[in-house]
């Protein structure tokens, strides 16, 4: 990224040699991202990250429908456990666009989409179905191939979007979400820079731009490109793809050691989801009779950085809509902690957590 942040300062839409150098880097990054996501280069729209990619998917599809059929009854279906970038976009689209309604489909006790409920909700009014490839809080991988098959059969006019922000580090998106029309990814979940991402827009998918102006990204996202960000996204994705299988096994083994160790060492702990259908880096544990915000602080003081749910912009921990959708009682959800492991995680990190967490929980319970 460094040369494109500092030395190659040309504007990629310009015509002189500096501009051409920037454009070459941008288009190389596009080719690489496209290949790694199983798309064509023209299907990649660079964005400022996962949130913008999700917003572009939701507002883009619903905006295109509203332009063609203003006020027509239009339904957007999402899972109940989507990230706020999708849920809030659906809610806002329903509030802003006449005729648009947002329906949420539930999940089972392990956080996996209820396909029967989805099938019942699908009909000719549905314009968009958005189901994440893997959940960010509990890590459950969703049955995207089944979602696509249901939509093609029961709502053939609808577009399928998947938020693959959390999954892309661990799963080959092209294989795990076959046939999705729109796919969101974010660089910082892959070890890349914050503020860079992409939306895959399959050829033929009608999309109204969110940001208009200079017509960049084939009129789908205006604004001068973040060349360094695009290069960072492509490099991170390539790096992750090159070691996905080994890293998945290595990190899952570390995660298992951590989760099994804590389940054994701490009384009254439950695992939020079924580990078999969870990403390798996720361990979401519910500690009874503990306040997660207090546990996060205690563990942070001991050098163990964990998450107590989805941190909103203020940094405060909100009640988890994901655990609520899974039917986890509020009293149990109060003490739920997400341990996230990744490419920098080591056995020593896990041993440190195993040494610190039981004591912190005992202290809080005491
Ligand atoms: N979608 C999911 C599933 C996420 O986990 C996140 C970030 O945590 C986002 C979307 C938002 O992505 P970004 O942080 O790149 O805006």
């Amino acid at each position: 990224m460094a040369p494109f942040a500092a030395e190659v300062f040309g504007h990629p839409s310009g015509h002189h040699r500096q501009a051409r150098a920037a454009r070459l880097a941008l288009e190389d990054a596009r080719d690489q991202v496209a290949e790694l996501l199983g798309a064509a280069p023209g299907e990649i729209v660079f964005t400022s990250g996962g949130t913008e990619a999700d917003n572009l998917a939701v507002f883009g599809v619903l905006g295109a429908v509203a332009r063609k059929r203003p006020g027509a009854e239009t339904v957007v279906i999402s899972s109940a456990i989507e990230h706020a970038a999708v849920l809030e976009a659906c809610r806002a689209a329903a509030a802003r666009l006449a005729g648009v309604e947002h329906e949420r489909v539930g999940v089972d006790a392990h956080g996996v989409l209820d396909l029967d409920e989805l099938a019942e909700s699908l009909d000719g009014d549905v314009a968009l179905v958005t189901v994440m490839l893997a959940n960010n809080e509990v890590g459950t991988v969703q049955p995207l191939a089944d979602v696509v098959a249901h939509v093609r059969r029961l709502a053939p006019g609808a577009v399928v979007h998947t938020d693959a922000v959390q999954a892309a580090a661990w799963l080959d998106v092209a294989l795990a979400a076959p046939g999705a029309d729109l796919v969101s990814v974010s660089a910082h979940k892959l070890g890349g820079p914050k503020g860079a991402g992409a939306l895959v827009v399959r050829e033929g998918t009608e999309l109204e731009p969110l940001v208009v102006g200079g017509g960049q990204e084939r009129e789908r996202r205006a604004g001068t490109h973040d060349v360094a960000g695009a290069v960072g996204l492509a490099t991170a994705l390539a790096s992750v793809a090159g070691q996905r299988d080994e890293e998945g096994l290595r990190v899952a083994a570390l995660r298992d050691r951590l989760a099994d160790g804590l389940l054994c060492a701490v009384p009254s702990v439950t695992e939020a989801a079924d580990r078999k259908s969870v990403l390798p880096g996720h361990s979401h544990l519910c500690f009874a009779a503990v306040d997660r915000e207090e546990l996060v602080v205690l563990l942070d003081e001991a050098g163990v950085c964990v998450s107590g749910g989805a941190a909103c912009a203020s940094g405060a921990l909100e009640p988890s809509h994901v655990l609520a959708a899974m039917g986890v009682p509020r009293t149990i959800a109060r003490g739920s902690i997400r341990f996230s492991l990744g490419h920098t995680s080591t056995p020593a990190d896990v041993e440190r957590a195993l040494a610190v967490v039981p004591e912190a929980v005992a202290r809080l319970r005491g």
Side-chain angles (χ1 to χ4, degrees):
M1 292 173 69
F4 302 101
E7 294 153 30
V8 182
F9 51 79
H11 186 308
S13 304
H15 296 289
H16 49 65
R17 69 190 57 201
Q18 282 284 352
R20 281 198 300 276
R23 187 159 61 247
L24 193 63
L26 181 72
E27 294 314 320
D28 280 352
R30 191 187 306 283
D31 290 349
Q32 211 174 354
V33 170
E35 195 185 333
L36 292 163
L37 295 178
E43 294 177 324
I44 302 299
V45 177
F46 286 118
T47 67
S48 65
T51 301
E52 187 192 327
D54 287 344
N55 273 259
L56 177 56
V58 173
F59 284 104
V61 170
L62 297 174
V65 173
R67 183 168 48 76
K68 277 170 75 175
R69 297 187 285 125
E73 241 173 71
T74 306
V75 175
V76 49
I77 294 178
S78 74
S79 83
I81 60 165
E82 294 299 305
H83 187 272
V86 168
L87 282 182
E88 285 301 303
C90 292
R91 191 194 54 73
R96 290 180 203 168
L97 300 170
V100 173
E101 223 180 278
H102 175 207
E103 288 177 17
R104 298 172 190 220
V105 171
V107 293
D108 67 14
H110 294 293
V112 178
L113 188 79
D114 183 336
L115 284 166
D116 293 335
E117 193 185 327
L118 173 69
E120 278 165 28
S121 310
L122 291 169
D123 61 27
D125 289 338
V126 178
L128 174 66
V129 176
T130 171
V131 175
M132 65 204 327
L133 187 48
N135 180 260
N136 47 306
E137 284 186 42
V138 293
T140 39
V141 178
Q142 302 300 323
L144 245 295
D146 295 335
V147 169
V148 173
H150 276 52
V151 174
R152 298 296 178 245
R153 194 164 51 85
L154 300 165
V159 169
V160 178
H161 167 244
T162 189
D163 174 339
V165 166
Q166 201 69 216
W170 308 106
L171 303 176
D172 182 336
V173 170
L175 298 178
D181 305 295
L182 300 166
V183 181
S184 302
V185 292
S186 175
H188 74 97
K189 300 292 189 216
L190 306 161
K194 289 160 190 70
L199 181 68
V200 177
V201 183
R202 297 283 173 214
E203 205 59 56
T205 309
E206 289 192 45
L207 204 75
E208 198 72 355
L210 263 187
V211 185
V212 293
Q216 286 91 344
E217 298 297 87
R218 291 173 52 196
E219 308 277 347
R220 293 166 300 186
R221 200 270 191 180
T224 301
H225 290 95
D226 174 2
V227 179
V231 168
L233 169 64
T235 307
L237 200 52
S239 162
V240 155
Q243 43 184 321
R244 205 180 257 127
D245 293 345
E246 312 93 86
E247 269 299 273
L249 291 173
R250 187 187 74 84
V251 172
L254 289 179
R255 186 271 317 273
D256 290 347
R257 160 99 184 108
L258 175 68
D260 291 336
L262 291 177
L263 286 165
C264 199
V266 185
S268 304
V269 183
T270 44
E271 230 167 340
D274 182 354
R275 232 184 280 170
K276 283 197 295 295
S277 54
V278 164
L279 293 174
H282 270 70
S283 179
H284 196 118
L285 300 176
C286 300
F287 297 88
V290 164
D291 183 306
R292 61 191 173 153
E293 297 196 33
E294 289 176 4
L295 186 54
V296 169
V297 172
L298 262 196
L299 293 180
D300 185 42
E301 280 169 6
V304 176
C305 302
V306 298
S307 167
C312 75
S314 69
L317 300 176
E318 298 178 321
S320 166
H321 66 287
V322 175
L323 296 182
M326 290 163 63
V328 177
R330 274 186 84 93
T331 46
I332 301 289
R334 257 188 72 222
S336 76
I337 292 288
R338 169 161 55 106
F339 296 86
S340 310
L341 294 91
H343 68 287
T344 62
S345 302
T346 64
D349 295 335
V350 170
E351 297 314 315
R352 172 81 185 144
L354 287 174
V356 161
V357 176
E359 204 183 300
V361 172
R363 204 170 127 194
L364 289 175
R365 284 181 180 162

